[in-house]
Amino acid sequence: RNLRRQYSVESVTEGIIMIPLVISSAYQSVDATLDRVGEGTSYVRLEFRTGNLGQRLIRDNLFYSDSDIAVWSLTDLLDGLELLVSNNLQKVDLQQVEIRLEITGERKTATIEKASPNVFTAAAGDSVDVEVLIRPYRAHTETRILRIDIPDNISPGPMTVTLRGGGEGYYLTKPPVHTTILSELEEEEEPSRALISGAESLDALIEDFMNREKNNEIVAEFYPFIENYSAEENDEDPDPDNYLGYGWSEGVGEPKKVRLSTQFVIDGTASFDINVVQR
């Protein structure tokens, strides 16, 4: 509608009161500007300004909802507020939150249909280009290319690579659209999200929040481990007595990820295998 509005509010700084006030004010601002409840895509940029943290806290993301885009647009805001206000590591002097939203009624989503590497056999330390076929909603397919670097210390053997949207876990774990953000806050006695604890420093939590996967990203993910058999290669029915189980590559226990940004909220998955050989 080419409509632009700006809202400013002030809030008390007591955390238990501030979080619902900030969320409700932002939600009311979006709702008043949209003047509707329904489908849409939104680009959201958040900046949290503090008096005692040296780094700038900025997070942007793309959201889509088929029911209430205003609600879904503010979920990163909720996570950021809980991180800064409710963490058990350090008191944060939160002074200002700036929220910028661009919302359209257009559905900007795309589904991963296929992923194909340029080679199916590679050596440790090689790079593999992956051609990802995505289909935007009711449009022709498009191709994206991302590059996977195979770790130097990976063991030889088959390696499965999975491609998915960066928002896959986000859309599975967030509350249903009809459950509003405010009702979720009221039902919880204390924040339960994993990002509030489990880290050695607040800086690490903030870094994780700012850099975690986004809904508009294609994520290629693989675990550098192999199935070890003493049977002959390509044996489809190895002797169970000789099966050695899974062997992790030396020093590797976390999945390796490569992320590629797009202009769409990405869903769908695809996978393929690469045979890693000794150089």
Side-chain angles (χ1 to χ4, degrees):
R1 296 162 54 200
N2 295 318
L3 179 63
R4 181 181 181 89
R5 289 182 179 171
Q6 180 173 323
Y7 299 86
S8 297
V9 298
E10 292 184 345
S11 167
V12 296
T13 57
E14 180 63 32
I16 194 171
I17 302 174
M18 179 178 64
I19 292 179
L21 282 178
V22 172
I23 291 292
S24 62
S25 298
Y27 180 77
Q28 184 178 3
S29 300
V30 177
D31 240 17
T33 305
L34 283 179
D35 196 25
R36 67 175 178 84
V37 176
E39 181 181 28
T41 304
S42 66
Y43 169 77
V44 181
R45 182 187 185 276
L46 306 173
E47 181 170 357
F48 302 88
R49 297 168 185 162
T50 69
N52 62 334
L53 297 180
Q55 64 192 111
R56 297 181 69 193
L57 280 68
I58 298 174
R59 166 79 176 172
D60 64 270
N61 209 345
L62 194 69
F63 297 87
Y64 167 75
S65 172
D66 60 1
S67 300
D68 193 343
I69 187 57
V71 168
W72 287 94
S73 296
L74 301 178
T75 47
D76 274 356
L77 173 62
L78 176 58
D79 283 348
L81 289 171
E82 287 182 341
L83 166 61
L84 296 176
V85 175
S86 304
N87 78 84
N88 58 0
L89 297 170
Q90 179 182 336
K91 181 176 176 60
V92 176
D93 177 23
L94 183 59
Q95 297 181 344
Q96 186 177 13
V97 181
E98 184 177 276
I99 312 156
R100 293 179 178 266
L101 298 95
E102 296 179 11
I103 299 180
T104 175
E106 181 183 357
R107 177 171 176 171
K108 295 184 178 180
T109 64
T111 302
I112 297 174
E113 292 197 339
K114 185 180 180 181
S116 303
N118 63 333
V119 294
F120 286 93
T121 299
D126 284 353
S127 295
V128 177
D129 289 336
V130 182
E131 183 179 279
V132 186
L133 195 67
I134 63 173
R135 182 178 294 278
Y137 180 69
R138 293 181 177 174
H140 297 295
T141 57
E142 299 182 10
T143 300
R144 299 291 187 274
I145 303 293
L146 56 79
R147 175 166 294 181
I148 295 174
D149 294 323
I150 301 176
D152 292 327
N153 60 347
I154 191 172
S155 301
M159 181 183 75
T160 299
V161 180
T162 300
L163 287 95
R164 56 175 175 78
E168 179 185 63
Y170 161 85
Y171 279 107
L172 289 175
T173 58
K174 291 297 178 181
V177 173
H178 67 266
T179 302
T180 68
I181 292 173
L182 289 178
S183 66
E184 183 191 45
L185 281 173
E186 292 167 357
E187 291 171 2
E188 291 187 357
E189 295 182 0
E190 59 181 3
S192 61
R193 286 168 173 74
L195 59 79
I196 295 177
S197 60
E200 296 181 357
S201 68
L202 180 60
D203 286 342
L205 287 176
I206 291 173
E207 192 73 19
D208 177 70
F209 171 71
M210 291 192 296
N211 295 327
R212 69 185 182 185
E213 297 171 9
K214 300 177 182 179
N215 303 326
N216 62 313
E217 291 179 333
I218 299 172
V219 180
E221 184 177 47
F222 60 94
Y223 287 84
F225 67 90
I226 63 170
E227 277 189 310
N228 295 306
Y229 293 104
S230 61
E232 290 292 325
E233 187 177 359
N234 299 326
D235 188 351
E236 296 182 358
D237 187 20
D239 184 353
D241 294 334
N242 293 328
Y243 176 58
L244 302 180
Y246 289 100
W248 291 92
S249 298
E250 181 181 354
V252 179
E254 294 295 326
K256 300 293 184 181
K257 297 181 182 180
V258 179
R259 296 157 55 180
L260 180 68
S261 294
T262 74
Q263 70 271 42
F264 306 105
V265 173
I266 300 293
D267 62 12
T269 60
S271 62
F272 57 85
D273 291 329
I274 293 177
N275 185 38
V276 180
V277 297
Q278 291 182 339
R279 185 177 295 277

